[in-house]
Amino acid sequence: MRVPLEWLKDFVDVRVKPERLSHLLTMAGLEVERIERVGTDTIFEIGLTPNRADCLSIMGVAREIAALTGAKLKLPVFKAPRGSGKMASAARIAVKHPRQCPRYTARVIEGVKISSSPGWIVKRLADFGVRSINNVVDATNYVMLETGQPLHAFDLRFLRGGRIVVQKAGKELSFGTLDGVERNLLEDDLLICDGEGPVALAGVMGGDNSEVRQSTTSVLLESAFFEPTSIRRTSRRLGATSESSRRFERGVDPNGTLAALHRLTQVILDTAGGTPTADWVDIYPKKVFPKRVALAETEVERILGMKVGVKKSAEILSRLCFAARSSRGKISVSVPTFRPDILRPIDLIEEIARVAGYDSIPESMPVARIAPLVRPRFLKEEELSREALVGAGLTEAVIYGFTSAESLEPFAGTTSGEVGITNPLSAEQGVMRTTLLPGLLDALKLNASRQCTDCRLFALARVYSRPMSIGPSEEPRHVAGVMAGRRFPSGWERSREPLDFYDAKGVVETLFDALGVGRLAIFQRGEAGSFLHPGSFAYVICGGKRIGFVGQLHPDVCARWEQEREIFVFELKFEQLAELATAEAPRFSELSRYPFVQRDLAVVVPDRIPAVEVEKVIFDAGVDIVSSVRIFDVYRGNGVAQGHKSLGLSLILARNDRTLTDEETEAAQEKVVDALKQKLGAVLRT
Amino acid sequence: MKERLLQEIAEIKAEAEGELKSLADAAAAEACRVKYLGRKGRVTSILKLLSGLDQESRPAVGREINILKSMLEGELREVSEKLKKTEQGASLAAHRLDITLPGRRVKAGHRHPLMKVMREVVEIFTDMGFSVHTGPEIESDYYNFEALGVPPDHPARDMQDTFYVDGNRLLRTHTSPVQIHVMEAHKPPIFAVFPGAVYRRDNDVTHSPMFHQVEGLVVDRHITMGDLKGILSTFCRKMFGGRLKVRFRPSYFPFTEPSAEVDIQCVMCDGTGCRICKGSGWLEILGCGMVDPVVFEAVKIDSRRYSGFAFGMGVERIAMLKYAIGDIRFFFENDMRFLEQF
């Protein structure tokens, strides 16, 4: 809200410099976001919090300044201008729904002359950021900005039957507001009607049918108090907000209604002439009285951690125009009706604290009993995993929780029950992700489009699915990665080698080792989901459960992200992985004190036989001294028959209790080779 | 005989000394040693002649030979060692690497700056004895708004434009609902922080539809606004530097009262006023306040016996200030050139 200093000076003696005033206001909760100099005037741009409806006016801010600086407040009492003729013969007013409209005041002025406003009104409106229209409309705006009371002027000619009825729409209907928009109203919307239909959306906006215009000579002035919730509901639903609705929905002073009407009448008489009726209408069946709140001194200290004292507290509240009396550790407060936000003792404590200054509260540290800390499940494993993946060369990405339904489509086989967003910003953000891959692929694509083709990214984050029953949604974590480009992009040897399946698998293995579940993981061939390369992917089985996959992305899916190159991906269910990590501490096995024997051999086997099977045959050959098998070479080509491969195997033979003899190792090797021959048709290569 | 031998010894000596001076390399030194001291060497052969000499002259001649022998041995050792050193030096000198080429390794990746900052924030609080809790991102209206003192049609709903999932469920607009979950599940004392992703319908240079918050809650007997100031000032100093000025300024949140914004002295200009702090010298860092009795009521904690404070901060904002990043969208693009800087 823009507040000109010169205007403020109508109501309060400002003695401090603008910078000092700005600081005082800011430190009392009326944040001055900007100070602007316009000619000799200074305009404060104040960011008001929604609770301070009372400060949506020059007089309200003046009141606050008086309380903060101790300056003299000069709020005028607006007297009713004299007039002639009976209001009853000029117009008849009725309120059908007093709960939505607790107070309605009105008066008629005849013989006004519509023209432009005097320069000082135009300037003040402009300083505030309101456009000048004509003298009558400007007067309603001017008095609203001054007092905080929204006001409206109707052209009496267009009030059919010379009547005003405040009532709910009662049915769905359409109504044109003066901003030129045709609005669809619902039964509950509160309207100002004339004898035949709506002439204004109560508290929000006038209708174009009864607008004051150049030819207007008689006006009916409205100053009312509408119930905040009803105004807010209508204005929100219609997307129709105005200076008026902004004030009503935050709460105006029900006891300031009439004074504002008098002030408005006077300003119109001063700027447009005319004769008001001798009396006015004031429908106010249930008067709102100031609330009484009692506050114990001990409460102030318990919340703020400092003693303020009843005397000082009462003095602060009095400065804010509260009627406060203190007696024996207690303050009895009568809250003025322009402060609807103050209802409870805690509200008063806040007033005391902010006027005394938060700076005056001494800093302290809480005194607490020591208790074991609670951490979210798997927080530690999450950190371990992130660090392991970074160590394995992947960079962490943060991706949006939502994505497009289209981008999830290729992966739909792996998930179900997407959560859609009913009001997304765009279709690209229409559903909550069920897999992390689309987000990671988006990032990969973006990098490729910016000439970065060596890209390895991971994310460890939630995915979302609809819960099976009512209750919190299911948001399990996944850990996923995408990799494309060269294997050693920053190296100077082998720098042209591209990444392949084994690089991605290696990353997954590194992750498993970091979590201590390396021995529990099995990579298994299977029916590929349609988004993976059928020959170059593996399901990851951990602890007997399928927890994810690693492999090459199907070229069709790559094409969706406009990538022609090979992309390798993995995605694992993190909770299941972490659960295994925490399941069991490793058990120590005794170290051998005797030397081992290493035997290297090369065997030729058919291509289709997986390495793991070769290992299995060796371990199952009935030789108990084989302590490990390592494949150190895989060779196809010259010297090896088509459809076959040569495997270089390194056997480690050992016993824990003694040194092996030559005969033993010889026999063991023979047995192993025999088993390979018989079970796999292997041929020893010499 | 004796004279002849002595003369020969002198000749060998002169000859060997000459040769020793002109030895070119370790191999020549070895050849020289063989020539004189080897099994068939000249010194060795002359020593053999000693037995043909008469008793008296033997010691004198023998002594001369031994002197020659040890002289030659010593000189040869010295010379050949010197030569070996030179040769090794030359050979080492010839083997010269370009040590400016990079080392061989799998280049490590990088942590995302948001995750780094979030961890840092959380650690400052866990170091002070706070627990950590998380909660669902898809929340009910009740936990996100109503239990926090924001009924339907409350003006405070304007402060946060919400994504809805269905009639009653939404993407949480702040991590505050975790407060409610925690207070429902745990009895005071509660000292906890809640990190996580949150969502609002906003998208520009400083707003992202998804962003991150760390929220905190303290509930116990005798918790005061002084404690709030103590804990949060400590946080600001640990996060941004020890001598930093911190100020608490009244504000409004529906679920705290009294409420405050915490400003720190601008980290870019040290409080003198710049573009980042819009000339004010202060940067808004977090919102906080004493837990409103309405909230305690919703979770059945007696607000006459217990008091507490809550606070919340945007991780993106802190990261933007910490690393001088001007546009929030960098965090979610995942451009490698950006990520590799952290």
Side-chain angles (χ1 to χ4, degrees):
Chain A
M1 191 176 66
R2 291 164 59 84
V3 183
L5 184 58
E6 288 305 320
W7 199 347
L8 278 173
K9 284 181 175 168
D10 285 1
F11 304 110
V12 63
D13 281 325
V14 181
R15 292 270 164 77
V16 295
K17 287 210 169 102
E19 282 69 26
R20 172 79 188 143
L21 185 58
S22 155
H23 174 75
L24 287 172
L25 286 169
T26 297
M27 294 310 282
L30 272 68
E31 188 187 2
V32 176
E33 288 164 347
R34 226 157 55 95
I35 303 177
E36 197 184 313
R37 316 268 171 193
V38 178
T40 53
D41 203 356
T42 303
I43 296 171
F44 299 102
E45 181 122 27
I46 298 179
L48 268 187
T49 50
N51 57 325
R52 293 306 301 274
D54 63 300
C55 284
L56 280 165
S57 65
I58 301 296
M59 283 165 67
V61 176
R63 199 158 43 214
E64 190 77 9
I65 291 172
L68 297 176
T69 61
K72 194 168 155 36
L73 191 61
K74 308 179 289 186
L75 294 188
V77 177
F78 296 123
K79 291 215 183 89
R82 286 163 190 273
S84 68
K86 282 234 169 274
M87 179 69 190
S89 53
R92 279 177 299 148
I93 317 284
V95 175
K96 276 202 182 164
H97 295 99
R99 213 175 70 73
Q100 280 70 32
C101 175
R103 188 174 194 186
Y104 197 93
T105 68
R107 195 172 185 183
V108 166
I109 306 180
E110 285 177 343
V112 295
K113 191 170 165 15
I114 304 298
S115 65
S116 52
S117 293
W120 62 274
I121 288 193
V122 175
K123 181 196 171 287
R124 284 193 165 178
L125 291 181
D127 285 346
F128 211 99
V130 175
R131 195 165 53 91
S132 168
I133 293 168
N134 60 47
N135 47 4
V136 169
V137 174
D138 287 356
T140 61
N141 282 331
Y142 182 85
V143 176
M144 171 181 72
L145 299 181
E146 190 174 67
T147 62
Q149 169 65 49
L151 299 157
H152 192 67
F154 297 96
D155 185 329
L156 191 58
R157 280 182 300 169
F158 300 110
L159 296 180
R160 292 156 292 190
R163 292 178 52 159
I164 286 282
V165 184
V166 184
Q167 59 179 15
K168 292 187 191 170
K171 58 177 187 204
E172 291 182 26
L173 52 89
S174 149
F175 174 62
T177 44
L178 47 73
D179 56 356
V181 181
E182 202 58 28
R183 314 258 179 197
N184 295 317
L185 307 182
L186 299 183
E187 293 161 45
D188 267 350
D189 291 327
L190 192 67
L191 300 178
I192 311 299
C193 297
D194 62 6
E196 291 177 26
V199 290
L201 212 48
V204 181
M205 215 174 273
D208 54 10
N209 53 5
S210 56
E211 195 182 346
V212 170
R213 60 204 74 185
Q214 199 59 44
S215 59
T216 302
T217 55
S218 296
V219 289
L220 182 138
L221 309 177
E222 168 199 286
S223 175
F225 174 70
F226 298 111
E227 193 266 320
T229 317
S230 142
I231 300 298
R232 179 175 163 76
R233 203 170 290 153
T234 298
S235 114
R236 281 281 286 178
R237 201 193 69 247
L238 297 175
T241 54
S242 61
E243 290 289 339
S244 167
S245 70
R246 227 154 67 84
R247 287 169 174 78
F248 277 125
E249 68 179 43
R250 286 167 171 76
V252 301
D253 181 5
N255 294 322
T257 321
L258 192 58
L261 181 71
H262 293 335
R263 172 68 170 154
L264 175 63
T265 308
Q266 189 61 58
V267 174
I268 291 177
L269 292 181
D270 292 348
T271 61
T275 314
T277 51
D279 60 346
W280 52 86
V281 168
D282 182 0
I283 302 171
Y284 191 17
K286 223 171 132 185
K287 187 170 161 57
V288 178
F289 291 100
K291 270 201 185 59
R292 302 202 150 272
V293 184
L295 175 65
E297 187 191 8
T298 48
E299 253 324 83
V300 180
E301 194 182 347
R302 184 177 77 99
I303 297 297
L304 299 183
M306 74 167 172
K307 268 200 162 70
V308 180
V310 274
K311 239 182 102 189
K312 175 131 190 252
S313 299
E315 189 234 307
I316 287 172
L317 294 170
S318 305
R319 268 155 62 188
L320 290 165
C321 304
F322 291 51
R325 273 183 316 153
S326 58
S327 67
R328 269 178 283 131
K330 244 192 172 156
I331 312 163
S332 310
V333 182
S334 164
V335 182
T337 48
F338 58 76
R339 289 301 302 270
D341 57 318
I342 309 291
L343 300 166
R344 310 163 297 168
I346 191 74
D347 302 324
L348 292 175
I349 294 174
E350 179 171 61
E351 293 302 301
I352 292 166
R354 73 181 183 86
V355 175
Y358 284 3
D359 281 349
S360 62
I361 300 171
E363 281 184 19
S364 54
M365 282 304 243
V367 175
R369 278 163 284 165
I370 286 182
L373 303 190
V374 181
R375 288 205 165 83
R377 195 147 184 246
F378 304 138
L379 186 70
K380 207 180 79 194
E381 287 73 19
E382 219 182 276
E383 265 314 297
L384 267 175
S385 302
R386 291 173 198 273
E387 292 299 333
L389 290 169
V390 166
L394 275 68
T395 290
E396 185 174 29
V398 169
I399 53 181
Y400 283 143
F402 25 58
T403 182
S404 67
E406 198 191 353
S407 74
L408 289 178
E409 190 190 58
F411 308 100
T414 59
T415 51
S416 61
E418 290 152 17
V419 179
I421 293 166
T422 48
N423 57 339
L425 281 173
S426 68
E428 274 77 60
Q429 304 180 346
V431 295
M432 298 305 284
R433 64 190 176 210
T434 52
T435 155
L436 302 176
L437 290 181
L440 289 170
L441 289 167
D442 287 344
L444 187 108
K445 179 182 164 185
L446 175 127
N447 277 291
S449 75
R450 295 180 182 175
Q451 297 175 291
C452 168
T453 48
D454 296 307
C455 191
R456 304 177 197 190
L457 293 166
F458 80 92
L460 200 172
R462 301 183 191 197
V463 298
Y464 313 84
S465 58
R466 236 168 230 300
M468 292 302 154
S469 57
I470 297 182
S473 70
E474 284 160 41
E475 302 175 9
R477 280 165 281 185
H478 278 192
V479 54
V482 296
M483 303 167 69
R486 291 167 297 171
R487 179 174 295 145
F488 302 111
S490 61
W492 40 275
E493 304 161 299
R494 300 158 66 196
S495 60
R496 283 192 199 84
E497 282 177 16
L499 286 166
D500 66 19
F501 169 82
Y502 299 103
D503 294 293
K505 185 181 175 186
V507 169
V508 173
E509 287 169 330
T510 303
L511 173 63
F512 285 178
D513 282 349
L515 291 173
V517 297
R519 286 168 313 136
L520 303 174
I522 299 169
F523 293 83
Q524 208 169 64
R525 200 172 271 291
E527 205 54 41
S530 58
F531 60 95
L532 291 167
H533 184 302
S536 169
F537 96 97
Y539 283 120
V540 181
I541 318 289
C542 208
K545 274 188 229 160
R546 184 191 281 184
I547 62 159
F549 54 83
V550 51
Q552 186 182 337
L553 205 59
H554 195 286
D556 290 350
V557 181
C558 295
R560 278 177 178 254
W561 272 271
E562 294 163 28
Q563 302 299 305
E564 278 179 18
R565 59 221 176 105
E566 295 183 347
I567 298 173
F568 300 91
V569 299
F570 64 88
E571 182 156 24
L572 307 165
K573 292 175 182 162
F574 182 70
E575 269 84 4
Q576 297 192 10
L577 187 61
E579 213 153 305
L580 292 166
T582 50
E584 225 177 319
R587 281 190 79 90
F588 168 71
S589 68
E590 204 56 58
L591 309 183
S592 174
R593 293 188 295 140
Y594 302 95
F596 61 83
V597 175
Q598 177 175 340
R599 285 296 164 97
D600 289 354
L601 33 117
V603 293
V604 175
V605 294
D607 225 349
R608 65 185 155 74
I609 291 174
V612 67
E613 198 164 331
V614 175
E615 287 176 17
K616 189 171 178 305
V617 166
I618 294 173
F619 279 114
D620 292 350
V623 185
D624 58 357
I625 58 171
V626 176
S627 74
S628 78
V629 180
R630 191 173 71 83
I631 292 169
F632 64 86
D633 185 38
V634 180
Y635 173 75
R636 295 178 184 84
N638 257 349
V640 175
Q642 192 81 44
H644 287 68
K645 60 186 169 189
S646 164
L647 297 178
L649 302 171
S650 190
L651 306 184
I652 300 294
L653 310 173
R655 286 186 68 114
N656 260 352
D657 53 353
R658 60 175 169 80
T659 306
L660 293 174
T661 65
D662 284 352
E663 292 73 31
E664 268 176 316
T665 58
E666 242 4 272
Q669 183 173 340
E670 242 166 65
K671 224 168 163 185
V672 165
V673 170
D674 271 353
L676 290 171
K677 276 182 185 161
Q678 278 174 21
K679 299 241 174 77
L680 304 175
V683 177
L684 200 59
R685 198 165 165 237
T686 43
Chain B
M1 178 74 172
K2 179 187 170 190
E3 270 65 45
R4 218 193 71 211
L5 279 176
L6 284 174
Q7 194 191 335
E8 203 174 331
I9 288 166
E11 275 167 21
I12 291 172
K13 191 181 172 201
E15 203 176 314
E17 271 173 346
E19 265 179 57
L20 276 170
K21 275 187 193 118
S22 58
L23 286 173
D25 52 27
E30 175 61 11
C32 179
R33 190 191 63 79
V34 172
K35 180 176 172 192
Y36 294 100
L37 301 173
R39 218 145 36 89
K40 290 179 180 161
R42 293 184 61 184
V43 178
T44 321
S45 2
I46 211 166
L47 201 59
K48 283 179 188 157
L49 296 177
L50 208 59
S51 52
L53 220 61
D54 56 61
Q55 208 68 26
E56 313 151 36
S57 30
R58 229 186 262 175
V61 177
R63 195 165 52 247
E64 283 304 308
I65 294 175
N66 279 332
I67 287 170
L68 173 64
K69 193 180 169 194
S70 59
M71 186 277 284
L72 278 178
E73 275 172 356
E75 296 256 314
L76 266 171
R77 202 181 309 120
E78 209 171 286
V79 169
S80 71
E81 218 144 81
K82 206 184 270 169
L83 286 169
K84 264 188 206 152
K85 270 260 155 61
T86 325
E87 268 164 49
Q88 188 191 38
S91 132
L92 288 178
H95 188 70
R96 209 180 143 89
L97 293 182
D98 178 357
I99 47 87
T100 63
L101 280 170
R104 211 172 272 129
R105 60 172 173 151
V106 172
K107 215 167 177 193
H110 299 264
R111 287 297 298 268
H112 195 285
L114 283 181
M115 298 294 119
K116 275 176 102 152
V117 168
M118 190 137 94
R119 182 170 63 173
E120 206 178 319
V121 170
V122 168
E123 262 172 19
I124 291 174
F125 288 103
T126 52
D127 285 354
M128 290 194 280
F130 282 61
S131 289
V132 184
H133 294 273
T134 54
E137 288 168 26
I138 299 172
E139 267 292 359
S140 66
D141 188 276
Y142 175 78
Y143 282 102
N144 195 74
F145 287 124
E146 261 184 80
L148 290 160
V150 189
D153 300 313
H154 191 284
R157 290 211 179 194
D158 281 350
M159 294 163 92
Q160 306 171 359
D161 209 353
T162 312
F163 285 114
Y164 284 90
V165 161
D166 54 36
N168 182 44
R169 289 186 313 151
L170 43 79
L171 301 185
R172 66 179 179 193
T173 57
H174 42 194
T175 40
S176 315
V178 188
Q179 280 185 31
I180 305 297
H181 291 297
V182 168
M183 285 192 281
E184 282 177 346
H186 301 268
K187 286 195 159 53
I190 296 167
F191 285 77
V193 286
F194 325 122
V198 301
Y199 301 83
R200 290 183 200 174
R201 292 191 78 238
D202 251 337
N203 204 1
D204 59 39
V205 177
T206 49
H207 297 90
S208 164
M210 180 185 90
F211 59 103
H212 298 80
Q213 285 188 333
V214 176
E215 186 126 347
L217 177 71
V218 169
V219 181
D220 201 354
R221 292 181 185 214
H222 317 300
I223 296 294
T224 69
M225 196 150 170
D227 297 335
L228 172 152
K229 286 184 69 179
I231 289 280
L232 294 178
S233 295
T234 306
F235 164 75
C236 289
R237 291 191 196 106
K238 287 201 180 236
M239 190 75 206
F240 292 100
R243 283 179 304 163
L244 200 77
K245 279 198 194 127
V246 179
R247 75 175 187 188
F248 293 75
R249 159 169 72 73
S251 186
Y252 168 76
F253 303 104
F255 40 91
T256 54
E257 186 150 5
S259 301
E261 294 277 0
V262 181
D263 297 340
I264 57 165
Q265 196 182 354
C266 180
V267 290
M268 305 293 166
C269 63
D270 290 328
T272 56
C274 67
R275 195 179 54 83
I276 302 295
C277 60
K278 294 184 192 128
S280 70
W282 295 97
L283 293 169
E284 205 172 295
I285 255 337
L286 55 87
C288 59
M290 301 301 290
V291 178
D292 195 294
V294 165
V295 176
F296 280 140
E297 208 171 288
V299 294
K300 298 184 177 66
I301 288 178
D302 185 352
S303 66
R304 287 164 304 174
R305 287 175 64 207
Y306 291 99
S307 53
F309 62 84
F311 55 90
M313 66 194 90
V315 179
E316 279 76 1
R317 177 160 175 79
I318 293 179
M320 285 168 88
L321 292 174
K322 190 179 162 90
Y323 300 123
I325 297 166
D327 188 330
I328 199 169
R329 286 170 289 208
F330 280 123
F331 292 121
F332 305 100
E333 274 185 354
N334 299 302
D335 188 318
M336 293 296 281
R337 293 169 301 171
F338 173 76
L339 297 175
E340 278 169 0
Q341 297 181 32
F342 305 97

